[in-house]
Amino acid sequence: MTFLYKADPLRGAQWAERFAQRAPQLPFRVWPDLGDPAAIRYLAAWSPGDLAETLPNLEVIFSVGAGVDQFDLTRVPQHVPVVRMIEPGIVEGMVEYVTEAVLAVHRDLFDYALQQQARVWQALPVRAAATRRVGVLGLGMLGTAVLERLKLFGFACAGWSRSPRLMDGVDCYATDASLDAFLARTDVLVCLLPLTDATRGLLSRRVFDALPDGASLIHVGRGPQLNTADLLEALTRGRLRNAVLDVSDPEPLPAGHPLWTQPRVRITPHIASATRPEGAVDAVLDNLRRHRNGEPMLGQIDRERGY
Ligand code: NDP
Ligand code: OXD
């Protein structure tokens, strides 16, 4: 009974070390060193390629990320559950990233960066956090954690999800029918949605036009959710004021892409948060225990929904 890891090899070495400490009885291999394919029961991957179809005795696939859109689920046999990553490090990283980005927008740091380039020493009026309306698309593990932190600054917080949710101190909107009402009250829009057929291309002119004039976008979901031509146009029109983009389509963003040179766009290379090896291995081992005991695994995705 072997565990196979197929993702970043540097992190793989850290996973191997943690496995050796926490589960020395379970042989751990790093792809492409498969050993006997028939012995592999568990796979952790960013993207499994053809492994899900070709490993004859595979029992569970773990995504090393919180998202699973990089998996081709049609190539994963129906009897093999797919489990996404739920571990504290990934949440902490995302809370830090989005909090910093919201505060940067709130405290006009994009404007001050432009003023600095022009050597302008000019104070801008400071708005109270309570008058700044933050809206998070996605009220899952990450969206709720982000809102819990943003609430502490006093921002007017709202969230949008597929099914109705309740969160203390957060105005919760659900379903497509309430999207416009949610957008109309949102000055800073944060995208923390999984990539599915329903969310692909969602961040488009239609959404930007439903936001108040001069709103800002923080996109930390997945690149294909954003229509970049519409974003550029909305920035040019002044409809959107600033954009913080951690994800792009394709990744890496090509060197000649016009987003690179937009003065009010800040780009980071998909680093908002990442699974930490210790937490990830602990989460996987806990789920293996659950699997063996016939208990539900934490983070098992629903193939129909796609997340
Ligand atoms: P979850 O699955 O916990 O939550 C997803 C949320 O999105 C849920 O609230 C869900 O609604 C909502 N949602 C999904 N589809 C729709 C829809 N069509 N309409 C309205 N709401 C919808 O995901 P996480 O919070 O763990 O992660 C979110 C995403 O963040 C990941 O899928 C990944 O793409 C991205 N991510 C990015 C990282 C980065 O570094 N940039 C790092 C980690 C993750 P409901 O509650 O009703 O199910
Ligand atoms: C993830 C990511 O989904 O890193 O975990 O984007």
Side-chain angles (χ1 to χ4, degrees):
M1 193 174 284
T2 299
F3 192 104
L4 178 67
Y5 171 96
K6 177 181 179 274
D8 175 60
L10 281 179
R11 290 206 207 164
Q14 293 170 298
W15 277 58
E17 207 176 302
R18 187 78 170 182
F19 257 84
Q21 289 163 358
R22 298 285 320 277
Q25 74 290 355
L26 181 58
F28 181 91
R29 304 186 86 96
V30 176
W31 184 88
D33 173 24
L34 256 64
D36 174 11
I40 296 168
R41 299 292 167 88
Y42 312 113
L43 169 66
W46 174 255
S47 171
D50 67 357
L51 284 173
E53 294 161 306
T54 53
L55 295 173
N57 296 316
L58 193 63
E59 288 181 26
V60 187
I61 298 194
F62 297 95
S63 167
V64 298
V68 293
D69 52 280
Q70 61 283 5
F71 279 49
D72 179 353
L73 293 175
T74 62
R75 298 180 73 185
V76 179
Q78 281 298 332
H79 69 274
V80 177
V82 178
V83 182
R84 71 197 196 88
M85 186 54 68
I86 295 194
E87 65 91 27
I90 207 162
V91 179
E92 207 174 294
M94 188 57 79
V95 168
E96 285 174 5
Y97 185 96
V98 175
T99 302
E100 189 278 342
V102 170
L103 288 171
V105 167
H106 173 59
R107 293 307 308 266
D108 302 312
L109 295 189
F110 285 81
D111 301 79
Y112 286 119
L114 293 172
Q115 287 192 186
Q116 182 173 344
Q117 276 170 25
R119 300 172 189 227
V120 172
W121 181 277
Q122 170 75 54
L124 301 169
V126 178
R127 256 171 80 169
T131 69
R132 188 80 69 181
R133 298 164 299 175
V134 180
V136 177
L137 293 165
L139 281 174
M141 169 177 80
L142 300 176
T144 50
V146 159
L147 282 161
E148 287 296 350
R149 184 65 57 87
L150 291 175
K151 262 173 27 180
L152 303 179
F153 291 92
F155 292 114
C157 289
W160 182 71
S161 54
R162 216 169 69 122
S163 48
R165 305 265 152 200
L166 280 178
M167 244 187 109
D168 225 24
V170 174
D171 289 336
C172 293
Y173 295 76
T175 76
D176 291 349
S178 72
L179 180 60
D180 281 350
F182 164 80
L183 295 170
R185 54 72 61 210
T186 294
D187 301 314
V188 184
L189 180 67
V190 179
C191 180
L192 267 168
L193 289 167
L195 178 63
T196 64
D197 289 345
T199 67
R200 189 178 298 276
L202 180 80
L203 300 173
S204 61
R205 181 177 181 136
R206 181 226 164 302
V207 159
F208 303 145
D209 281 353
L211 292 165
D213 241 345
S216 294
L217 171 69
I218 296 167
H219 185 26
V220 274
R222 286 288 188 260
Q225 290 162 341
L226 174 65
N227 182 322
T228 47
D230 287 2
L231 172 66
L232 286 163
E233 192 257 353
L235 288 162
T236 308
R237 279 194 291 145
R239 181 94 208 125
L240 281 187
R241 191 158 173 79
N242 311 295
V244 176
L245 308 177
D246 181 56
V247 288
S248 69
D249 182 26
E251 290 184 2
L253 187 66
H257 199 285
L259 278 172
W260 282 115
T261 48
Q262 284 294 308
R264 287 187 171 275
V265 173
R266 202 174 76 180
I267 294 170
T268 49
H270 198 143
I271 50 72
S273 76
T275 308
R276 296 191 188 143
E278 318 79 56
V281 170
D282 292 356
V284 162
L285 291 177
D286 180 53
N287 268 331
L288 288 183
R289 182 191 56 73
R290 287 167 177 272
H291 180 63
R292 275 195 301 272
N293 295 342
E295 295 166 26
M297 288 181 282
L298 301 181
Q300 183 168 338
I301 64 132
D302 174 335
R303 287 176 186 236
E304 286 299 308
R305 291 187 322 188
Y307 70 96

